[in-house]
Amino acid sequence: MRRNRNPFGALSHFALIVWALLIILPLLWTFLAAFKNNTEIFGDALQLPGEIRWDNWVRAWEKAQVGRYMINTVIVVFFGTLGTMLFGSMAAYVLARYKFIGSKLIYLLFVSGMAFPVFLAITPLFFVVKQVGLHDSLFGLIVVYIAYSMPFTVFFLAAFFRTLPEAIAEAAKIDGASHTRTFFQVMLPMAKPGLVSITIFNVLGQWNQYLLPLALITDRDKYVITQGIADISTIAGYEADWPALFAAMNLAILPVLIVYIIFQRQIQSGLGAGAVK
């Protein structure tokens, strides 16, 4: 059995190495390009920059207004993730722990949202948001982010809440705890691994969202980071300031990369706990 498994083990390791190189090399090239000039960028891809040019990052932050785009993105992602986790966890808990008429149908409607491509709803979504007066506003974008993040959040957290011990909820009820108190003080902390994992997934997904803000935000002062990078790319095509473009890309990549590196163990433990349950 060991001899039969060795070739497959070596093949899987080789595939992982190739996959890692496909991810690492473009990131490395992007990072090095942020310190180069135009001549060096279009030269040897992995050549080290002749000098460390921090002015590329300064131009990206100030001239290209990446700082403003970053602030807008932080605001939208923070409140979008907060609203998603609050409403998503409450909906998942009710659908997982309480049985009532239509509960399965509501759950299936939430889950079916994951199979609905975003681009199919862009046109009607644009008119709905515009009619309610939320077009070109960060608040409107936050509401849309929450709506589009809810299906996966409910689907993911419902698996955790279904497997939590019923005896603990009954003990809290005997002690006089209300449904709300039982949820926030007893059941929610027990689902911490799943909450951490889905929170990070929502942060990454909302941070990298481009199609929704492209359709709902036209005011440059309210651009998020993905719109800002695309705008910088267009400007760079005319001004040939590619170093500033790559510096801006690094400013967009580094926050989510740092978040993932810090919380990777929590993500893995949360996914593992969900799989076991």
Side-chain angles (χ1 to χ4, degrees):
M1 292 296 293
R2 290 182 179 179
R3 291 180 180 179
N4 292 334
R5 290 178 181 177
N6 286 335
F8 295 101
L11 183 62
S12 64
H13 281 78
F14 176 76
L16 290 174
I17 292 173
V18 172
W19 179 260
L21 291 175
L22 291 175
I23 300 298
I24 294 173
L25 290 179
L27 289 176
L28 179 61
W29 179 72
T30 302
F31 181 74
L32 292 176
F35 296 98
K36 297 180 179 181
N37 55 29
N38 287 326
T39 303
E40 293 174 338
I41 288 176
F42 291 99
D44 187 0
L46 295 180
Q47 178 185 2
L48 295 177
E51 59 178 306
I52 303 298
R53 299 178 177 87
W54 292 108
D55 57 307
N56 297 340
W57 298 70
V58 174
R59 290 200 310 276
W61 185 267
E62 297 179 352
K63 183 180 178 180
Q65 298 183 345
V66 171
R68 174 177 296 177
Y69 303 148
M70 190 79 72
I71 293 174
N72 292 341
T73 306
V74 169
I75 293 173
V76 172
V77 172
F78 175 79
F79 288 103
T81 304
L82 180 64
T84 301
M85 296 308 301
L86 177 62
F87 298 123
S89 61
M90 290 192 294
Y93 177 75
V94 171
L95 294 174
R97 308 290 296 191
Y98 296 91
K99 302 299 180 183
F100 55 90
I101 298 176
S103 61
K104 291 185 177 180
L105 177 62
I106 296 174
Y107 175 75
L108 290 176
L109 289 175
F110 270 113
V111 174
S112 64
M114 295 189 297
F116 193 79
V118 176
F119 63 85
L120 291 180
I122 286 296
T123 301
L125 178 64
F126 170 81
F127 287 107
V128 170
V129 172
K130 188 174 183 178
Q131 289 176 359
V132 298
L134 294 178
H135 181 256
D136 248 352
S137 71
L138 296 181
F139 177 73
L141 188 60
I142 291 170
V143 173
V144 173
Y145 275 12
I146 293 174
Y148 272 93
S149 300
M150 284 286 286
F152 182 67
T153 302
V154 171
F155 171 76
F156 191 92
L157 291 179
F160 280 83
F161 288 125
R162 285 196 188 100
T163 55
L164 295 181
E166 184 67 29
I168 296 179
E170 293 177 353
K173 184 177 180 180
I174 294 174
D175 290 338
S178 62
H179 293 288
T180 303
R181 186 176 180 181
T182 300
F183 170 69
F184 282 105
Q185 295 187 359
V186 180
M187 309 304 285
L188 201 60
M190 295 178 62
K192 182 180 177 181
L195 292 172
V196 173
S197 298
I198 195 63
T199 297
I200 297 173
F201 275 116
N202 283 326
V203 169
L204 298 179
Q206 294 181 14
W207 183 277
N208 294 321
Q209 181 61 246
Y210 175 69
L211 189 59
L212 291 176
L214 180 65
L216 303 178
I217 302 293
T218 57
D219 186 354
R220 289 180 179 270
D221 292 335
K222 298 177 182 178
Y223 273 8
V224 295
I225 191 66
T226 49
Q227 288 177 288
I229 296 297
D231 189 57
I232 296 171
S233 177
T234 303
I235 295 174
Y238 296 100
E239 296 184 357
D241 192 3
W242 294 100
L245 171 62
F246 283 105
M249 291 175 63
N250 279 280
L251 289 171
I253 293 171
L254 286 176
V256 293
L257 185 61
I258 292 172
V259 168
Y260 180 79
I261 291 174
I262 293 175
F263 295 101
Q264 61 176 331
R265 292 186 180 276
Q266 286 83 350
I267 296 176
Q268 294 171 359
S269 64
L271 293 176
V276 172
K277 292 180 180 182

